[in-house]
Amino acid sequence: MDIQVGDKLMMKKEHPCGSREWLVLRVGMDFRMRCLGCGHEIMVPRSKIEKNIKSIERKENASC
């Protein structure tokens, strides 16, 4: 799965704050993500994240 820094992930399960949207801050063996509802940051193993992704919104680069 191709996930990049800056992508917005919609997860299957809600965070306790009620939001399902997360911003990817770092990728590798672990993902560092920020909840877009409350701002909480977590580090989660790649395998766990890839199973729980519902959709990916990629920010398009507008380079000329």
Side-chain angles (χ1 to χ4, degrees):
M1 197 171 268
D2 182 35
I3 300 171
Q4 301 170 359
V5 173
D7 289 352
K8 189 164 67 168
L9 305 179
M10 179 71 80
M11 306 304 280
K12 292 179 183 174
K13 292 186 177 180
E14 290 183 349
H15 187 247
C17 73
S19 176
R20 292 176 186 252
E21 295 181 338
W22 294 82
L23 179 66
V24 178
L25 302 175
R26 180 180 161 252
V27 294
M29 285 294 292
D30 295 322
F31 281 80
R32 183 169 197 76
M33 304 190 315
R34 178 182 299 136
C35 176
L36 294 176
C38 65
H40 184 75
E41 290 188 12
I42 59 171
M43 291 214 34
V44 185
R46 176 182 281 271
S47 59
K48 189 170 184 180
I49 292 299
E50 288 182 346
K51 282 192 265 185
N52 294 319
I53 293 175
K54 188 173 184 180
S55 66
I56 302 171
E57 287 183 33
R58 180 145 298 141
K59 190 176 187 181
E60 297 296 327
N61 294 339
S63 58
C64 296

